[in-house]
Amino acid sequence: MSVESMVVFKDKIYIYSNVTSKVYEISQDLELLHSWIVEDNLKDTSAEREEASVQFVIQRELNELFLFNIEEPEQRFYMVGENSLDKLKYGQDKYKHKYILANNCFYNLYDNQVILSDNETVFQQILDEQGDYYFMSTKDFSNPKKDTENKTIYLKKIDKKSVPLFLAEVGKSRDK
């Protein structure tokens, strides 16, 4: 089975093909602008998987596009830049307190830390351009002991300043 990932970013279309092991950058007029062979970087991905093991993710706060390989042990981010595709270099100052939400996990781009999301009660989650985290949940986070019906859906916002503390709490609750 051929698995492909696609995203529109900054008025360009980016496509990853498992069949060719390439990323294609295409204009809105469907003109091929660039293509990069990524076979060496993504050698452990499988074209036989039913779900995509490689996906595009946007870090909205920095307005940057990344290609993310979900597969272990090659799980990592690749920055898609002007005419290039490079492995993410963690620890850069611009990535301090910056996260990407992908594959139901938060990825700290500075510390290379992975924090699992509460995917039992949380769904439709997003990190916005200001770094705020929004999600919908069947759990009332303002009253966590309250027993809620699964039919009730809550919209929750965690502002950027509180995201690290919130993620630390999520991590603690998962470790129990």
Side-chain angles (χ1 to χ4, degrees):
M1 169 183 243
S2 171
V3 178
E4 296 187 5
S5 297
M6 182 179 83
V7 69
V8 176
F9 181 71
K10 293 184 179 180
D11 296 331
K12 295 178 185 164
I13 302 164
Y14 293 88
I15 297 172
Y16 170 74
S17 171
N18 275 355
V19 174
T20 62
S21 295
K22 286 186 178 182
V23 170
Y24 299 94
E25 181 184 52
I26 301 169
S27 73
Q28 288 187 352
D29 298 327
L30 302 181
E31 177 185 330
L32 178 64
L33 301 173
H34 299 287
S35 67
W36 302 282
I37 297 173
V38 292
E39 185 173 19
D40 291 340
N41 293 337
L42 304 174
K43 62 181 178 263
D44 290 341
T45 62
S46 170
E48 301 301 318
R49 285 178 51 111
E50 289 186 27
E51 295 178 19
S53 60
V54 174
Q55 60 184 251
F56 288 100
V57 290
I58 298 170
Q59 206 299 335
R60 288 177 176 81
E61 200 174 352
L62 296 171
N63 197 28
E64 292 182 0
L65 179 64
F66 294 87
L67 187 67
F68 176 56
N69 181 4
I70 298 167
E71 293 277 320
E72 296 283 352
E74 294 295 315
Q75 186 179 62
R76 64 176 47 107
F77 289 94
Y78 301 90
M79 186 173 177
V80 180
E82 291 281 326
N83 305 321
S84 67
L85 180 73
D86 300 306
K87 285 183 184 177
L88 174 65
K89 294 179 180 97
Y90 296 97
Q92 296 180 54
D93 283 342
K94 73 176 182 174
Y95 295 135
K96 201 169 236 179
H97 306 295
K98 301 292 190 272
Y99 301 90
I100 285 182
L101 185 58
N103 198 34
N104 289 321
C105 295
F106 288 89
Y107 295 87
N108 182 317
L109 296 179
Y110 185 77
D111 296 326
N112 190 17
Q113 179 186 22
V114 180
I115 303 155
L116 296 174
S117 177
D118 177 7
N119 55 358
E120 289 182 20
T121 62
V122 172
F123 55 98
Q124 295 205 355
Q125 47 192 340
I126 189 168
L127 285 165
D128 73 2
E129 293 85 5
Q130 286 74 41
D132 298 331
Y133 172 49
Y134 291 87
F135 61 92
M136 293 172 45
S137 176
T138 56
K139 182 178 177 182
D140 183 357
F141 282 86
S142 62
N143 187 2
K145 295 183 181 192
K146 178 181 173 184
D147 189 25
T148 60
E149 296 179 23
N150 285 340
K151 293 179 184 177
T152 304
I153 297 174
Y154 300 91
L155 175 62
K156 182 71 176 160
K157 174 188 176 186
I158 308 294
D159 67 42
K160 176 184 177 169
K161 293 177 189 172
S162 301
V163 167
L165 180 61
F166 178 79
L167 294 178
E169 288 299 316
V170 168
K172 283 180 193 174
S173 67
R174 286 193 143 313
D175 292 340
K176 290 180 182 178

